[in-house]
Amino acid sequence: MGDNLKEECGICGIYLKNPIKNSELISYNLDLMLNRMQRRGQTGSGISIFKIREGKYGKVLKTLKKPGLVSNLFGGENLDLRKKIIKENNGIAGIGHVRYGTSGNRGNTLDLLQPFLRRHGKKWKKFSICFNGNLANYPELEEELRKRDYDLETDVDTEVIMHLFSLGIKKFSDENNEVKPDFFDLSNFVMQQIDGAFNILLLFGDGNLIAIRDSYGFKPLVWGENQDFYAIASESVALERIGIRDIQVVPPGSVIIFNANGVFLKQLFFNQKKAFCQFEAIYFSDSGSLFEGKSIYEIRRNLGKELAKAEPLKEFIKKNKKNYVVVPVPETSNAAAEGFAEILGLSFRPLGLRKLDKTRGFINEYEKREDIMNRIYDVIKEIFQDKEVFLIEDSIIRGETLGKTINLIKNTNPKAIHVRVTEPKVCHPCFYGVDMSTYGEFIANVCDSLNLEEEIAKKIGADTFFYQKFEGLINSLGFDKNEICHACLTGDYPTEFGKKRAEEALKKFKDQKI
Ligand code: SF4
């Protein structure tokens, strides 16, 4: 994705199997997992640790948050400081979060970074919470809380979810505050009120760690165990990073409790329809991760193969294959380009475009974006010179960066540039956690729809341009179309409030062109 699309967030949690004493394993492994998911959010990161209190006073839930990369949270380059931070943040359970704000305030001040702490005098009413997703009914829930005189300190949906849990704790505790609520009842109470994509982790002051996945399964959530601990994370690569090999998908609609007695999983909601976000497979997740148990690397290769099968220039290519090279726009398109080249028997050149700056353009605020785009890629001219280039891109949203990339390549005198996109046309906003919320921001909506692909080619400076067909996507994913979310491609929103938000956005586009 050369475009300016934002990542979502990433979450992870860990629970010691023999929680007799605080251990450095907790923050050490949270650091490893968060680092492995850094690409999901670079605005800031945070952890909350549950620890056995060593003296009379002190915190049972300790929270640490820092703007920027995960390394900032753990001492940066200073290894002694890192050791000290890990030592000081020992415990028996923990949760962690990397943030990219896709709703509300996108800043990185500490009050916006997660986990959020809900304070209370009683240990089992005190909790830390972190969240990955987006609530489609956030405006309605916010209004409802305000009517009840709630003092909302941020416009982050995690805060709203936190208040709903607090209301649930009140509802399910007895009058004398002596009986703890059943965590499945409590989760059910909150899940019924929220519409959208949500993976939630809660760490209570009495040591219970709760994980919740929405009933459509929009965002990935996996868990596993080894001899020392249980762990849960947005992506399987994070679990593998800490030595967990047997990885389980958390079934959509499920709640998992990790505590001193073990692990307890219950599926509370059984939706016929699922809505696994297809963007995770195409772009967001790491190539080494799993998409609902399937290899993302293989899915991406399949996407390239499907593109190749539908390639309009197939007959021309056959005449002189040596004229052509296949170059991915790094890095998420690499596997697709490999599959594309393999089927057409063309030369695959992954080093044609090299990513120089790991600071990804879309992560930054607009003022900095122009500079960053110009220094993201370096081009090896020998690969392109006098060649017809198939440039494989994973998706195109606004098209700004792809146009700039093509300009860079043109300096090397290729014969032609043919852009192929592994994702079908994206032309509807997302209200489930990806930062594209208006109709006016899509290149597909601002170009003439009658000759769309031709128009886009002209706009970005390519000789030809083609999208993946919808069937090609479905074949590559290996799921039925009722099991994936394709709202941003088709306008078919799986939830009531997703539909409502889309109608509002469409009206704005028609009235004001935004
Ligand atoms: S609308 Fe698109 S980006 Fe959003 S969850 Fe659905 S598939 Fe993913």
Side-chain angles (χ1 to χ4, degrees), residues 1 278-279 281-283 299-307 332-337 340 391-396 419-426 465-470 472-474 476 489:
M1 159 87 60
Q278 47 85 31
F279 244 131
I282 288 179
Y283 172 64
I299 289 175
R300 289 182 184 165
R301 267 177 61 81
N302 292 342
L303 287 161
K305 289 180 182 176
E306 289 291 329
L307 270 177
T332 43
S333 308
N334 289 0
F340 182 85
L391 192 61
I392 308 297
E393 173 64 299
D394 45 44
S395 50
I396 176 166
V419 175
R420 302 293 179 262
V421 184
T422 66
E423 162 96 301
K425 180 179 75 173
V426 181
F465 173 94
F466 288 101
Y467 284 114
Q468 178 83 261
K469 303 272 180 281
F470 187 70
L473 169 70
I474 298 296
S476 305
L489 311 176

mmCIF file of all heavy atoms in Angstrom, residues 1 278-279 281-283 299-307 332-337 340 391-396 419-426 465-470 472-474 476 489:
data_model
loop_
_atom_site.group_PDB
_atom_site.id
_atom_site.type_symbol
_atom_site.label_atom_id
_atom_site.label_comp_id
_atom_site.label_asym_id
_atom_site.label_seq_id
_atom_site.Cartn_x
_atom_site.Cartn_y
_atom_site.Cartn_z
ATOM 1 N N MET A 1 0.853 -1.193 0.000
ATOM 2 C CA MET A 1 0.000 0.000 0.000
ATOM 3 C C MET A 1 0.879 1.230 0.000
ATOM 4 O O MET A 1 1.560 1.521 0.968
ATOM 5 C CB MET A 1 -0.862 -0.018 1.255
ATOM 6 C CG MET A 1 -1.412 1.308 1.676
ATOM 7 S SD MET A 1 -2.924 1.752 0.931
ATOM 8 C CE MET A 1 -3.979 0.445 1.448
ATOM 9 N N GLN A 278 -11.276 -8.191 5.121
ATOM 10 C CA GLN A 278 -10.390 -8.680 4.053
ATOM 11 C C GLN A 278 -9.125 -7.838 3.918
ATOM 12 O O GLN A 278 -8.106 -8.314 3.415
ATOM 13 C CB GLN A 278 -11.145 -8.771 2.722
ATOM 14 C CG GLN A 278 -11.989 -7.570 2.338
ATOM 15 C CD GLN A 278 -11.224 -6.476 1.637
ATOM 16 O OE1 GLN A 278 -10.273 -6.754 0.930
ATOM 17 N NE2 GLN A 278 -11.634 -5.229 1.836
ATOM 18 N N PHE A 279 -9.176 -6.603 4.429
ATOM 19 C CA PHE A 279 -7.992 -5.753 4.369
ATOM 20 C C PHE A 279 -6.856 -6.289 5.233
ATOM 21 O O PHE A 279 -5.677 -6.019 4.993
ATOM 22 C CB PHE A 279 -8.339 -4.333 4.849
ATOM 23 C CG PHE A 279 -8.200 -3.295 3.778
ATOM 24 C CD1 PHE A 279 -9.210 -2.382 3.538
ATOM 25 C CD2 PHE A 279 -7.038 -3.216 3.026
ATOM 26 C CE1 PHE A 279 -9.084 -1.421 2.557
ATOM 27 C CE2 PHE A 279 -6.900 -2.257 2.051
ATOM 28 C CZ PHE A 279 -7.914 -1.355 1.815
ATOM 29 N N ALA A 281 -6.018 -9.372 5.465
ATOM 30 C CA ALA A 281 -5.287 -10.359 4.657
ATOM 31 C C ALA A 281 -4.466 -9.671 3.575
ATOM 32 O O ALA A 281 -3.360 -10.081 3.249
ATOM 33 C CB ALA A 281 -6.264 -11.340 4.033
ATOM 34 N N ILE A 282 -5.020 -8.598 3.013
ATOM 35 C CA ILE A 282 -4.361 -7.948 1.886
ATOM 36 C C ILE A 282 -3.220 -7.041 2.337
ATOM 37 O O ILE A 282 -2.169 -6.998 1.714
ATOM 38 C CB ILE A 282 -5.402 -7.157 1.062
ATOM 39 C CG1 ILE A 282 -6.264 -8.177 0.311
ATOM 40 C CG2 ILE A 282 -4.756 -6.169 0.119
ATOM 41 C CD1 ILE A 282 -7.343 -7.583 -0.511
ATOM 42 N N TYR A 283 -3.438 -6.365 3.453
ATOM 43 C CA TYR A 283 -2.493 -5.301 3.785
ATOM 44 C C TYR A 283 -2.109 -5.183 5.259
ATOM 45 O O TYR A 283 -0.933 -5.110 5.593
ATOM 46 C CB TYR A 283 -3.072 -3.977 3.285
ATOM 47 C CG TYR A 283 -2.299 -2.772 3.728
ATOM 48 C CD1 TYR A 283 -0.989 -2.567 3.315
ATOM 49 C CD2 TYR A 283 -2.876 -1.839 4.582
ATOM 50 C CE1 TYR A 283 -0.277 -1.461 3.741
ATOM 51 C CE2 TYR A 283 -2.163 -0.728 5.004
ATOM 52 C CZ TYR A 283 -0.870 -0.542 4.578
ATOM 53 O OH TYR A 283 -0.167 0.540 4.988
ATOM 54 N N ILE A 299 -2.249 -16.482 0.919
ATOM 55 C CA ILE A 299 -3.386 -15.699 0.393
ATOM 56 C C ILE A 299 -2.863 -14.624 -0.565
ATOM 57 O O ILE A 299 -3.397 -14.412 -1.653
ATOM 58 C CB ILE A 299 -4.209 -15.057 1.544
ATOM 59 C CG1 ILE A 299 -4.974 -16.140 2.307
ATOM 60 C CG2 ILE A 299 -5.163 -13.991 1.012
ATOM 61 C CD1 ILE A 299 -5.713 -15.646 3.536
ATOM 62 N N ARG A 300 -1.793 -13.956 -0.156
ATOM 63 C CA ARG A 300 -1.250 -12.879 -1.012
ATOM 64 C C ARG A 300 -0.683 -13.447 -2.314
ATOM 65 O O ARG A 300 -0.808 -12.837 -3.377
ATOM 66 C CB ARG A 300 -0.209 -12.067 -0.222
ATOM 67 C CG ARG A 300 -0.890 -11.238 0.845
ATOM 68 C CD ARG A 300 0.057 -10.369 1.654
ATOM 69 N NE ARG A 300 -0.724 -9.702 2.703
ATOM 70 C CZ ARG A 300 -0.212 -9.101 3.767
ATOM 71 N NH1 ARG A 300 1.083 -9.061 3.934
ATOM 72 N NH2 ARG A 300 -1.005 -8.541 4.658
ATOM 73 N N ARG A 301 -0.061 -14.603 -2.233
ATOM 74 C CA ARG A 301 0.413 -15.245 -3.482
ATOM 75 C C ARG A 301 -0.783 -15.578 -4.385
ATOM 76 O O ARG A 301 -0.757 -15.350 -5.586
ATOM 77 C CB ARG A 301 1.177 -16.537 -3.146
ATOM 78 C CG ARG A 301 2.680 -16.330 -3.014
ATOM 79 C CD ARG A 301 3.363 -17.615 -2.600
ATOM 80 N NE ARG A 301 3.183 -18.685 -3.582
ATOM 81 C CZ ARG A 301 3.902 -18.816 -4.689
ATOM 82 N NH1 ARG A 301 4.858 -17.957 -4.953
ATOM 83 N NH2 ARG A 301 3.677 -19.810 -5.527
ATOM 84 N N ASN A 302 -1.847 -16.092 -3.752
ATOM 85 C CA ASN A 302 -3.056 -16.404 -4.531
ATOM 86 C C ASN A 302 -3.624 -15.170 -5.218
ATOM 87 O O ASN A 302 -4.095 -15.235 -6.358
ATOM 88 C CB ASN A 302 -4.159 -16.971 -3.623
ATOM 89 C CG ASN A 302 -3.797 -18.334 -3.092
ATOM 90 O OD1 ASN A 302 -2.912 -18.991 -3.629
ATOM 91 N ND2 ASN A 302 -4.462 -18.760 -2.028
ATOM 92 N N LEU A 303 -3.577 -14.038 -4.504
ATOM 93 C CA LEU A 303 -4.102 -12.795 -5.095
ATOM 94 C C LEU A 303 -3.336 -12.456 -6.370
ATOM 95 O O LEU A 303 -3.920 -12.053 -7.384
ATOM 96 C CB LEU A 303 -3.980 -11.636 -4.092
ATOM 97 C CG LEU A 303 -4.966 -11.673 -2.925
ATOM 98 C CD1 LEU A 303 -4.483 -10.789 -1.776
ATOM 99 C CD2 LEU A 303 -6.357 -11.212 -3.367
ATOM 100 N N GLY A 304 -2.030 -12.648 -6.332
ATOM 101 C CA GLY A 304 -1.199 -12.406 -7.519
ATOM 102 C C GLY A 304 -1.539 -13.388 -8.625
ATOM 103 O O GLY A 304 -1.605 -13.013 -9.810
ATOM 104 N N LYS A 305 -1.771 -14.630 -8.249
ATOM 105 C CA LYS A 305 -2.083 -15.649 -9.262
ATOM 106 C C LYS A 305 -3.423 -15.345 -9.922
ATOM 107 O O LYS A 305 -3.588 -15.490 -11.134
ATOM 108 C CB LYS A 305 -2.130 -17.033 -8.607
ATOM 109 C CG LYS A 305 -0.758 -17.542 -8.199
ATOM 110 C CD LYS A 305 -0.886 -18.907 -7.553
ATOM 111 C CE LYS A 305 0.456 -19.416 -7.089
ATOM 112 N NZ LYS A 305 0.359 -20.685 -6.382
ATOM 113 N N GLU A 306 -4.395 -14.912 -9.114
ATOM 114 C CA GLU A 306 -5.719 -14.563 -9.670
ATOM 115 C C GLU A 306 -5.605 -13.382 -10.631
ATOM 116 O O GLU A 306 -6.243 -13.355 -11.675
ATOM 117 C CB GLU A 306 -6.707 -14.235 -8.549
ATOM 118 C CG GLU A 306 -7.149 -15.428 -7.726
ATOM 119 C CD GLU A 306 -8.039 -16.388 -8.509
ATOM 120 O OE1 GLU A 306 -8.787 -15.945 -9.399
ATOM 121 O OE2 GLU A 306 -7.966 -17.613 -8.227
ATOM 122 N N LEU A 307 -4.781 -12.407 -10.247
ATOM 123 C CA LEU A 307 -4.564 -11.254 -11.142
ATOM 124 C C LEU A 307 -3.977 -11.725 -12.462
ATOM 125 O O LEU A 307 -4.368 -11.270 -13.542
ATOM 126 C CB LEU A 307 -3.575 -10.275 -10.506
ATOM 127 C CG LEU A 307 -4.101 -9.155 -9.624
ATOM 128 C CD1 LEU A 307 -2.925 -8.363 -9.062
ATOM 129 C CD2 LEU A 307 -5.019 -8.201 -10.391
ATOM 130 N N THR A 332 4.047 -5.170 1.351
ATOM 131 C CA THR A 332 2.941 -6.122 1.453
ATOM 132 C C THR A 332 2.566 -6.749 0.108
ATOM 133 O O THR A 332 1.847 -7.736 0.067
ATOM 134 C CB THR A 332 1.706 -5.437 2.077
ATOM 135 O OG1 THR A 332 1.570 -4.156 1.503
ATOM 136 C CG2 THR A 332 1.826 -5.331 3.563
ATOM 137 N N SER A 333 3.057 -6.183 -1.006
ATOM 138 C CA SER A 333 2.720 -6.745 -2.319
ATOM 139 C C SER A 333 3.714 -7.803 -2.783
ATOM 140 O O SER A 333 3.535 -8.368 -3.862
ATOM 141 C CB SER A 333 2.691 -5.630 -3.377
ATOM 142 O OG SER A 333 1.884 -4.583 -2.973
ATOM 143 N N ASN A 334 4.768 -8.035 -2.017
ATOM 144 C CA ASN A 334 5.828 -8.941 -2.467
ATOM 145 C C ASN A 334 5.299 -10.318 -2.851
ATOM 146 O O ASN A 334 5.613 -10.841 -3.926
ATOM 147 C CB ASN A 334 6.905 -9.107 -1.388
ATOM 148 C CG ASN A 334 7.732 -7.848 -1.225
ATOM 149 O OD1 ASN A 334 7.491 -6.853 -1.915
ATOM 150 N ND2 ASN A 334 8.676 -7.860 -0.313
ATOM 151 N N ALA A 335 4.503 -10.902 -1.966
ATOM 152 C CA ALA A 335 4.026 -12.268 -2.225
ATOM 153 C C ALA A 335 3.099 -12.303 -3.439
ATOM 154 O O ALA A 335 3.160 -13.237 -4.250
ATOM 155 C CB ALA A 335 3.305 -12.809 -0.990
ATOM 156 N N ALA A 336 2.262 -11.273 -3.591
ATOM 157 C CA ALA A 336 1.345 -11.230 -4.745
ATOM 158 C C ALA A 336 2.128 -11.105 -6.050
ATOM 159 O O ALA A 336 1.811 -11.769 -7.046
ATOM 160 C CB ALA A 336 0.370 -10.068 -4.603
ATOM 161 N N ALA A 337 3.167 -10.281 -6.030
ATOM 162 C CA ALA A 337 3.985 -10.106 -7.238
ATOM 163 C C ALA A 337 4.670 -11.426 -7.596
ATOM 164 O O ALA A 337 4.775 -11.781 -8.779
ATOM 165 C CB ALA A 337 5.010 -9.006 -7.002
ATOM 166 N N PHE A 340 2.068 -13.601 -9.216
ATOM 167 C CA PHE A 340 1.738 -13.053 -10.540
ATOM 168 C C PHE A 340 2.817 -13.462 -11.555
ATOM 169 O O PHE A 340 2.522 -13.973 -12.646
ATOM 170 C CB PHE A 340 1.653 -11.521 -10.419
ATOM 171 C CG PHE A 340 1.266 -10.796 -11.675
ATOM 172 C CD1 PHE A 340 -0.069 -10.632 -12.013
ATOM 173 C CD2 PHE A 340 2.234 -10.254 -12.519
ATOM 174 C CE1 PHE A 340 -0.435 -9.936 -13.174
ATOM 175 C CE2 PHE A 340 1.881 -9.565 -13.668
ATOM 176 C CZ PHE A 340 0.542 -9.399 -13.998
ATOM 177 N N LEU A 391 3.782 -3.293 -12.238
ATOM 178 C CA LEU A 391 3.944 -2.807 -10.875
ATOM 179 C C LEU A 391 2.769 -3.353 -10.065
ATOM 180 O O LEU A 391 1.610 -3.041 -10.342
ATOM 181 C CB LEU A 391 3.935 -1.274 -10.896
ATOM 182 C CG LEU A 391 4.375 -0.563 -9.643
ATOM 183 C CD1 LEU A 391 5.821 -0.901 -9.284
ATOM 184 C CD2 LEU A 391 4.255 0.955 -9.839
ATOM 185 N N ILE A 392 3.077 -4.190 -9.094
ATOM 186 C CA ILE A 392 1.997 -4.826 -8.319
ATOM 187 C C ILE A 392 1.798 -4.065 -7.021
ATOM 188 O O ILE A 392 2.726 -3.939 -6.202
ATOM 189 C CB ILE A 392 2.323 -6.315 -8.018
ATOM 190 C CG1 ILE A 392 2.700 -7.069 -9.304
ATOM 191 C CG2 ILE A 392 1.139 -6.992 -7.313
ATOM 192 C CD1 ILE A 392 1.614 -7.163 -10.356
ATOM 193 N N GLU A 393 0.595 -3.558 -6.823
ATOM 194 C CA GLU A 393 0.249 -2.771 -5.629
ATOM 195 C C GLU A 393 -0.864 -3.507 -4.883
ATOM 196 O O GLU A 393 -1.702 -4.169 -5.514
ATOM 197 C CB GLU A 393 -0.214 -1.374 -6.103
ATOM 198 C CG GLU A 393 -0.768 -0.454 -5.062
ATOM 199 C CD GLU A 393 0.230 -0.049 -3.987
ATOM 200 O OE1 GLU A 393 0.715 -0.955 -3.292
ATOM 201 O OE2 GLU A 393 0.485 1.156 -3.821
ATOM 202 N N ASP A 394 -0.884 -3.431 -3.553
ATOM 203 C CA ASP A 394 -1.915 -4.209 -2.845
ATOM 204 C C ASP A 394 -3.294 -3.553 -2.876
ATOM 205 O O ASP A 394 -4.301 -4.235 -2.947
ATOM 206 C CB ASP A 394 -1.494 -4.533 -1.397
ATOM 207 C CG ASP A 394 -0.921 -3.352 -0.688
ATOM 208 O OD1 ASP A 394 -1.505 -2.264 -0.806
ATOM 209 O OD2 ASP A 394 0.127 -3.489 -0.042
ATOM 210 N N SER A 395 -3.331 -2.227 -2.795
ATOM 211 C CA SER A 395 -4.644 -1.569 -2.851
ATOM 212 C C SER A 395 -4.432 -0.112 -3.215
ATOM 213 O O SER A 395 -3.335 0.420 -3.048
ATOM 214 C CB SER A 395 -5.367 -1.676 -1.505
ATOM 215 O OG SER A 395 -4.504 -1.260 -0.491
ATOM 216 N N ILE A 396 -5.473 0.511 -3.706
ATOM 217 C CA ILE A 396 -5.363 1.944 -4.028
ATOM 218 C C ILE A 396 -6.583 2.653 -3.450
ATOM 219 O O ILE A 396 -7.723 2.272 -3.721
ATOM 220 C CB ILE A 396 -5.164 2.183 -5.550
ATOM 221 C CG1 ILE A 396 -5.142 3.680 -5.865
ATOM 222 C CG2 ILE A 396 -6.183 1.469 -6.388
ATOM 223 C CD1 ILE A 396 -4.619 4.012 -7.257
ATOM 224 N N VAL A 419 0.056 -1.013 -14.006
ATOM 225 C CA VAL A 419 -0.233 -1.195 -12.579
ATOM 226 C C VAL A 419 -1.343 -2.232 -12.414
ATOM 227 O O VAL A 419 -2.386 -2.154 -13.083
ATOM 228 C CB VAL A 419 -0.660 0.142 -11.934
ATOM 229 C CG1 VAL A 419 -1.079 -0.062 -10.483
ATOM 230 C CG2 VAL A 419 0.468 1.159 -12.012
ATOM 231 N N ARG A 420 -1.099 -3.191 -11.531
ATOM 232 C CA ARG A 420 -2.115 -4.192 -11.199
ATOM 233 C C ARG A 420 -2.316 -4.162 -9.682
ATOM 234 O O ARG A 420 -1.337 -4.176 -8.927
ATOM 235 C CB ARG A 420 -1.672 -5.600 -11.630
ATOM 236 C CG ARG A 420 -1.373 -5.707 -13.129
ATOM 237 C CD ARG A 420 -2.642 -5.522 -13.964
ATOM 238 N NE ARG A 420 -2.386 -5.597 -15.397
ATOM 239 C CZ ARG A 420 -2.220 -4.547 -16.201
ATOM 240 N NH1 ARG A 420 -2.279 -3.309 -15.720
ATOM 241 N NH2 ARG A 420 -2.006 -4.712 -17.489
ATOM 242 N N VAL A 421 -3.583 -4.160 -9.260
ATOM 243 C CA VAL A 421 -3.894 -3.998 -7.841
ATOM 244 C C VAL A 421 -4.527 -5.281 -7.308
ATOM 245 O O VAL A 421 -5.524 -5.762 -7.868
ATOM 246 C CB VAL A 421 -4.839 -2.788 -7.635
ATOM 247 C CG1 VAL A 421 -5.087 -2.535 -6.164
ATOM 248 C CG2 VAL A 421 -4.261 -1.547 -8.282
ATOM 249 N N THR A 422 -3.987 -5.802 -6.228
ATOM 250 C CA THR A 422 -4.465 -7.103 -5.727
ATOM 251 C C THR A 422 -5.844 -7.010 -5.052
ATOM 252 O O THR A 422 -6.499 -8.016 -4.835
ATOM 253 C CB THR A 422 -3.470 -7.727 -4.729
ATOM 254 O OG1 THR A 422 -3.424 -6.915 -3.566
ATOM 255 C CG2 THR A 422 -2.091 -7.844 -5.312
ATOM 256 N N GLU A 423 -6.239 -5.799 -4.730
ATOM 257 C CA GLU A 423 -7.516 -5.546 -4.074
ATOM 258 C C GLU A 423 -8.523 -5.032 -5.107
ATOM 259 O O GLU A 423 -8.169 -4.193 -5.942
ATOM 260 C CB GLU A 423 -7.261 -4.476 -3.011
ATOM 261 C CG GLU A 423 -8.448 -3.742 -2.475
ATOM 262 C CD GLU A 423 -8.946 -4.332 -1.192
ATOM 263 O OE1 GLU A 423 -9.297 -5.520 -1.212
ATOM 264 O OE2 GLU A 423 -8.991 -3.630 -0.208
ATOM 265 N N PRO A 424 -9.771 -5.474 -5.078
ATOM 266 C CA PRO A 424 -10.772 -4.840 -5.965
ATOM 267 C C PRO A 424 -10.975 -3.368 -5.605
ATOM 268 O O PRO A 424 -10.421 -2.884 -4.613
ATOM 269 C CB PRO A 424 -12.051 -5.647 -5.685
ATOM 270 C CG PRO A 424 -11.591 -6.914 -5.076
ATOM 271 C CD PRO A 424 -10.345 -6.583 -4.313
ATOM 272 N N LYS A 425 -11.789 -2.708 -6.386
ATOM 273 C CA LYS A 425 -12.026 -1.263 -6.208
ATOM 274 C C LYS A 425 -12.567 -0.930 -4.806
ATOM 275 O O LYS A 425 -13.615 -1.442 -4.412
ATOM 276 C CB LYS A 425 -13.037 -0.826 -7.278
ATOM 277 C CG LYS A 425 -13.393 0.622 -7.248
ATOM 278 C CD LYS A 425 -14.374 0.974 -8.351
ATOM 279 C CE LYS A 425 -15.779 0.499 -8.052
ATOM 280 N NZ LYS A 425 -16.782 0.960 -9.022
ATOM 281 N N VAL A 426 -11.863 -0.063 -4.086
ATOM 282 C CA VAL A 426 -12.340 0.383 -2.763
ATOM 283 C C VAL A 426 -13.043 1.719 -2.967
ATOM 284 O O VAL A 426 -12.436 2.680 -3.445
ATOM 285 C CB VAL A 426 -11.161 0.569 -1.781
ATOM 286 C CG1 VAL A 426 -11.666 0.995 -0.410
ATOM 287 C CG2 VAL A 426 -10.352 -0.707 -1.670
ATOM 288 N N PHE A 465 -3.939 0.171 -16.172
ATOM 289 C CA PHE A 465 -4.255 -0.009 -14.742
ATOM 290 C C PHE A 465 -5.432 -0.980 -14.644
ATOM 291 O O PHE A 465 -6.446 -0.800 -15.327
ATOM 292 C CB PHE A 465 -4.661 1.350 -14.145
ATOM 293 C CG PHE A 465 -5.172 1.263 -12.729
ATOM 294 C CD1 PHE A 465 -4.318 1.465 -11.654
ATOM 295 C CD2 PHE A 465 -6.511 0.963 -12.458
ATOM 296 C CE1 PHE A 465 -4.783 1.379 -10.346
ATOM 297 C CE2 PHE A 465 -6.988 0.868 -11.167
ATOM 298 C CZ PHE A 465 -6.121 1.083 -10.101
ATOM 299 N N PHE A 466 -5.291 -2.020 -13.837
ATOM 300 C CA PHE A 466 -6.432 -2.922 -13.606
ATOM 301 C C PHE A 466 -6.510 -3.367 -12.147
ATOM 302 O O PHE A 466 -5.493 -3.613 -11.503
ATOM 303 C CB PHE A 466 -6.349 -4.169 -14.510
ATOM 304 C CG PHE A 466 -6.652 -3.842 -15.947
ATOM 305 C CD1 PHE A 466 -5.626 -3.698 -16.874
ATOM 306 C CD2 PHE A 466 -7.962 -3.634 -16.363
ATOM 307 C CE1 PHE A 466 -5.896 -3.363 -18.197
ATOM 308 C CE2 PHE A 466 -8.240 -3.287 -17.695
ATOM 309 C CZ PHE A 466 -7.203 -3.151 -18.604
ATOM 310 N N TYR A 467 -7.761 -3.450 -11.685
ATOM 311 C CA TYR A 467 -8.045 -3.958 -10.334
ATOM 312 C C TYR A 467 -8.206 -5.480 -10.361
ATOM 313 O O TYR A 467 -8.554 -6.064 -11.405
ATOM 314 C CB TYR A 467 -9.399 -3.431 -9.854
ATOM 315 C CG TYR A 467 -9.460 -1.998 -9.405
ATOM 316 C CD1 TYR A 467 -10.208 -1.066 -10.121
ATOM 317 C CD2 TYR A 467 -8.838 -1.585 -8.234
ATOM 318 C CE1 TYR A 467 -10.335 0.249 -9.686
ATOM 319 C CE2 TYR A 467 -8.958 -0.269 -7.794
ATOM 320 C CZ TYR A 467 -9.706 0.640 -8.517
ATOM 321 O OH TYR A 467 -9.833 1.928 -8.084
ATOM 322 N N GLN A 468 -8.068 -6.063 -9.204
ATOM 323 C CA GLN A 468 -8.473 -7.456 -9.000
ATOM 324 C C GLN A 468 -9.996 -7.548 -9.157
ATOM 325 O O GLN A 468 -10.721 -6.617 -8.792
ATOM 326 C CB GLN A 468 -8.114 -7.855 -7.556
ATOM 327 C CG GLN A 468 -8.493 -9.239 -7.130
ATOM 328 C CD GLN A 468 -7.474 -10.276 -7.562
ATOM 329 O OE1 GLN A 468 -7.698 -10.937 -8.575
ATOM 330 N NE2 GLN A 468 -6.391 -10.404 -6.831
ATOM 331 N N LYS A 469 -10.479 -8.670 -9.697
ATOM 332 C CA LYS A 469 -11.941 -8.875 -9.734
ATOM 333 C C LYS A 469 -12.387 -9.366 -8.354
ATOM 334 O O LYS A 469 -11.608 -10.019 -7.640
ATOM 335 C CB LYS A 469 -12.314 -9.946 -10.772
ATOM 336 C CG LYS A 469 -11.807 -9.622 -12.175
ATOM 337 C CD LYS A 469 -12.815 -8.776 -12.919
ATOM 338 C CE LYS A 469 -12.351 -8.432 -14.317
ATOM 339 N NZ LYS A 469 -11.362 -7.339 -14.412
ATOM 340 N N PHE A 470 -13.646 -9.086 -8.013
ATOM 341 C CA PHE A 470 -14.158 -9.509 -6.700
ATOM 342 C C PHE A 470 -14.030 -11.031 -6.531
ATOM 343 O O PHE A 470 -13.631 -11.519 -5.473
ATOM 344 C CB PHE A 470 -15.620 -9.058 -6.547
ATOM 345 C CG PHE A 470 -16.167 -9.303 -5.172
ATOM 346 C CD1 PHE A 470 -15.717 -8.565 -4.086
ATOM 347 C CD2 PHE A 470 -17.127 -10.281 -4.955
ATOM 348 C CE1 PHE A 470 -16.210 -8.801 -2.810
ATOM 349 C CE2 PHE A 470 -17.625 -10.522 -3.686
ATOM 350 C CZ PHE A 470 -17.171 -9.780 -2.611
ATOM 351 N N GLY A 472 -11.846 -12.914 -7.818
ATOM 352 C CA GLY A 472 -10.423 -13.219 -7.603
ATOM 353 C C GLY A 472 -10.071 -13.088 -6.131
ATOM 354 O O GLY A 472 -9.310 -13.893 -5.578
ATOM 355 N N LEU A 473 -10.647 -12.069 -5.482
ATOM 356 C CA LEU A 473 -10.409 -11.874 -4.050
ATOM 357 C C LEU A 473 -10.974 -13.053 -3.258
ATOM 358 O O LEU A 473 -10.296 -13.637 -2.404
ATOM 359 C CB LEU A 473 -11.068 -10.565 -3.593
ATOM 360 C CG LEU A 473 -11.140 -10.347 -2.088
ATOM 361 C CD1 LEU A 473 -9.758 -10.076 -1.510
ATOM 362 C CD2 LEU A 473 -12.078 -9.192 -1.726
ATOM 363 N N ILE A 474 -12.234 -13.390 -3.558
ATOM 364 C CA ILE A 474 -12.898 -14.474 -2.812
ATOM 365 C C ILE A 474 -12.129 -15.785 -3.002
ATOM 366 O O ILE A 474 -11.867 -16.510 -2.031
ATOM 367 C CB ILE A 474 -14.362 -14.630 -3.308
ATOM 368 C CG1 ILE A 474 -15.148 -13.344 -3.046
ATOM 369 C CG2 ILE A 474 -15.058 -15.820 -2.650
ATOM 370 C CD1 ILE A 474 -15.309 -12.974 -1.590
ATOM 371 N N SER A 476 -9.028 -16.177 -3.620
ATOM 372 C CA SER A 476 -7.722 -16.115 -2.943
ATOM 373 C C SER A 476 -7.853 -16.306 -1.444
ATOM 374 O O SER A 476 -7.010 -16.948 -0.815
ATOM 375 C CB SER A 476 -7.057 -14.761 -3.187
ATOM 376 O OG SER A 476 -6.959 -14.505 -4.553
ATOM 377 N N LEU A 489 -15.800 -2.429 -0.374
ATOM 378 C CA LEU A 489 -15.773 -2.747 -1.809
ATOM 379 C C LEU A 489 -17.176 -2.696 -2.413
ATOM 380 O O LEU A 489 -17.361 -2.255 -3.541
ATOM 381 C CB LEU A 489 -15.205 -4.158 -2.038
ATOM 382 C CG LEU A 489 -13.888 -4.508 -1.317
ATOM 383 C CD1 LEU A 489 -13.518 -5.958 -1.577
ATOM 384 C CD2 LEU A 489 -12.781 -3.592 -1.798
#
